[in-house]
Amino acid sequence: LISDGIPASGMAQFKELWALRENISESISLSGRVHKNDIAIPPAALPRFLPEFEALVAEHYQPFRVLTFGHIGDGNIHVNVIGPDEMTMEDFENRARELDHLLCRLVVAYRGSISAEHGIGLLKKHLLSYQRDPRLIHMMREIKKVFDPKGLFNPGKIFD
C-alpha cells in the first residue's frame, strides 16, 4: 500500500510531518460535504479491501469521492466520503447512509470492525447489528435496565 515515505530527519521535521497528519480531518472537511466512518480491517487484507471499496463507490455512488487515511499498521482506517456541492445535504446524507450499509457488509466480509477507535456513537448506532448478534444486543439492553431501570444514564443513547 505504501509506495513512498518520508522519515523525519529531526525533531523539527517530525513536528511538521505530525502537524500534516493531525490536520487531515480539518482539511477534508473543507472539501465539501463529508460523511465519515471509522473502521478496522486486518492489516494484511488492506491491499484487497481498499480497492474493492473504492470500486464499489465508483460503481454505485459515482458523484462521491473517497479519501481514506489512518493507522495502517493496525488496520484502523478513517473513511471519508465527500459529496458534490450541487447535491442537497438531505440527499447526500441519505445516500451516504445507504453507502454505510454497503461498507459495513464489506468490512464484515473482511472480518473487520465497523467501528474502530471511535466506537459506535449516536450516528452509527443503527449499524451495530452488523457487528453484534441480535441476542447480544438484547442482552446488553437487559443489562443496562438492571443498572439503569429508569433510563437516567445517557438518555437517547444506544440501549434506550
Side-chain angles (χ1 to χ4, degrees), residues 16-90:
E16 288 175 21
L17 291 171
W18 193 249
L20 290 172
R21 163 57 183 91
E22 288 296 304
N23 292 318
I24 291 173
S25 286
E26 293 166 17
S27 298
I28 292 172
S29 294
L30 298 174
S31 300
R33 293 168 164 69
V34 181
H35 182 78
K36 300 178 180 216
N37 275 286
D38 173 47
I39 63 168
I41 300 294
L46 285 172
R48 294 184 322 275
F49 171 84
L50 289 171
E52 188 172 343
F53 176 64
E54 290 168 359
L56 191 144
V57 172
E59 181 180 345
H60 299 287
Y61 295 88
Q62 186 55 46
F64 291 180
R65 291 181 302 138
V66 176
L67 294 171
T68 57
F69 71 96
H71 317 273
I72 197 166
D74 62 10
N76 288 2
I77 303 297
H78 301 286
V79 178
N80 297 268
V81 176
I82 301 170
D85 290 335
E86 59 273 7
M87 184 178 276
T88 68
M89 187 54 110
E90 183 180 358

Side-chain angles (χ1 to χ4, degrees), residues 35 37 96-104 124 126-127:
H35 182 78
N37 275 286
R97 280 193 293 272
E98 289 172 14
L99 179 56
D100 283 346
H101 292 283
L102 294 176
L103 173 62
C104 287
K124 307 294 182 192
H126 64 286
L127 302 172

Side-chain angles (χ1 to χ4, degrees), residues 81-140:
V81 176
I82 301 170
D85 290 335
E86 59 273 7
M87 184 178 276
T88 68
M89 187 54 110
E90 183 180 358
D91 287 345
F92 172 66
E93 288 174 353
N94 289 336
R95 297 278 293 156
R97 280 193 293 272
E98 289 172 14
L99 179 56
D100 283 346
H101 292 283
L102 294 176
L103 173 62
C104 287
R105 284 195 283 275
L106 189 60
V107 166
V108 169
Y110 276 88
R111 298 179 180 256
S113 172
I114 64 164
S115 187
E117 63 186 328
H118 295 289
I120 292 294
L122 293 177
L123 296 177
K124 307 294 182 192
K125 70 183 187 178
H126 64 286
L127 302 172
L128 184 60
S129 62
Y130 283 99
Q131 204 72 65
R132 300 290 181 257
D133 182 273
R135 293 173 302 192
L136 180 60
I137 293 171
H138 174 74
M139 189 183 309
M140 288 188 271

